[in-house]
């Protein structure tokens, strides 16, 4: 997306000509350029926040995409739960290494605390219903296999919530609460 600031700069340069690029501090053109610059910064900040919030869901779906069987056939609930358990234990090696490197009597590192909190949150989510693509639907499996890793491409997939007891419930995209 072209930046608003670049457009305004081009218009001002075109209007003023190449002879003068200096603007008065309080001129209309200067204020237009300040507003355009502020808008570009705001848009970039909001985009970065949104991408950071969506990253956990993209990583989760990429994990399950990597674990798809070679022959795309629907999975049963037991296989899906095994994949979820594998996902939940993905950071155990790093967590054990961080704990081993920590000197006795020292508080846990920020990374260790963050990993433990994420792990506990995902474990609780699994108890109530873990959000993931519907691996029991052949059409969703084919679409997931062709997924390129972008957020916009997730709209065509079907999602479910699988709980620890083996219940499977339809869900929606994007994930909201316990949908």
């Amino acid at each position: 997306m072209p930046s608003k600031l670049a457009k305004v700069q081009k218009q001002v340069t075109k209007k003023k000509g190449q002879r003068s690029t200096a603007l008065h501090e309080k001129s209309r053109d200067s204020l237009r350029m300040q507003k355009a610059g502020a808008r570009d910064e705001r848009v970039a900040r909001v985009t970065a926040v949104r991408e950071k919030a969506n990253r956990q869901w993209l990583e989760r779906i990429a994990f399950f995409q990597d674990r798809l069987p070679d022959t795309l056939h629907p999975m049963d609930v037991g296989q899906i739960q095994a994949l979820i358990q594998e996902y939940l234990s993905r950071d155990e090696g790093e967590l054990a290494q961080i704990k081993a490197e920590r000197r006795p009597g020292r508080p846990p590192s920020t990374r260790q605390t963050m990993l433990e909190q994420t792990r506990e949150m995902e474990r609780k989510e699994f108890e109530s219903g873990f959000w993931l693509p519907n691996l029991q639907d052949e059409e969703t499996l084919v679409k997931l296999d062709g997924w390129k890793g972008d957020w916009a491409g997730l709209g065509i997939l079907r999602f479910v919530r699988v709980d620890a007891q083996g219940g499977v419930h339809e869900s929606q995209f994007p994930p909201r609460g316990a949908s």
Side-chain angles (χ1 to χ4, degrees), residues 42 60 88 104 109 128 179:
R42 186 175 59 248
R60 179 182 292 189
L88 294 176
S109 67
S128 63
S179 62

Side-chain angles (χ1 to χ4, degrees), residues 71-83:
T71 58
L72 296 176
H73 60 281
M75 298 179 171
D76 64 353
V77 177
Q79 291 173 317
I80 294 172
Q81 286 179 324
L83 280 176

Side-chain angles (χ1 to χ4, degrees), residues 28-166:
R28 290 182 203 146
D29 291 333
S30 174
L31 293 176
R32 281 180 60 202
M33 289 176 51
Q34 288 175 9
K35 285 182 181 180
R39 180 189 181 279
D40 285 351
E41 290 172 11
R42 186 175 59 248
V43 168
R45 188 174 53 249
V46 167
T47 302
V49 168
R50 186 182 323 112
E51 287 175 357
K52 184 177 179 185
N54 294 342
R55 188 176 312 131
Q56 68 172 337
W57 305 113
L58 292 173
E59 289 173 357
R60 179 182 292 189
I61 294 168
F63 177 88
F64 288 104
Q65 182 188 33
D66 290 342
R67 303 309 190 277
L68 288 177
D70 292 335
T71 58
L72 296 176
H73 60 281
M75 298 179 171
D76 64 353
V77 177
Q79 291 173 317
I80 294 172
Q81 286 179 324
L83 280 176
I84 293 172
Q85 289 294 342
E86 182 182 345
Y87 179 78
L88 294 176
S89 62
R90 71 192 182 283
D91 293 327
E92 283 183 1
E94 182 182 357
L95 191 58
Q97 179 184 3
I98 291 172
K99 285 181 179 179
E101 290 174 353
R102 188 176 53 155
R103 295 189 328 239
R106 299 292 299 169
S109 67
T110 306
R111 177 73 177 151
Q112 178 183 346
T113 305
M114 188 184 73
L115 285 174
E116 289 172 346
Q117 288 175 348
T118 303
R119 187 174 173 191
E120 183 63 23
M121 183 183 65
E122 289 173 345
R123 188 193 59 75
K124 286 180 181 177
E125 182 186 355
F126 184 44
E127 295 293 323
S128 63
F130 196 80
W131 185 83
L132 71 155
N134 189 353
L135 301 177
Q136 295 177 321
D137 180 32
E138 198 166 326
E139 183 180 331
T140 302
L141 287 172
V142 171
K143 291 176 183 176
L144 180 61
D145 192 39
W147 179 60
K148 302 286 188 229
D150 58 336
W151 182 257
L154 294 177
I156 60 172
L157 300 177
R158 292 180 54 210
F159 293 91
V160 294
R161 287 198 178 268
V162 179
D163 58 29
Q165 289 75 31

Side-chain angles (χ1 to χ4, degrees), residues 4-15 33:
K4 188 75 169 167
L5 180 61
K7 289 181 180 181
V8 172
Q9 283 176 333
K10 183 177 177 182
Q11 291 170 353
V12 170
T13 304
K14 191 174 183 181
K15 183 173 96 175
M33 289 176 51

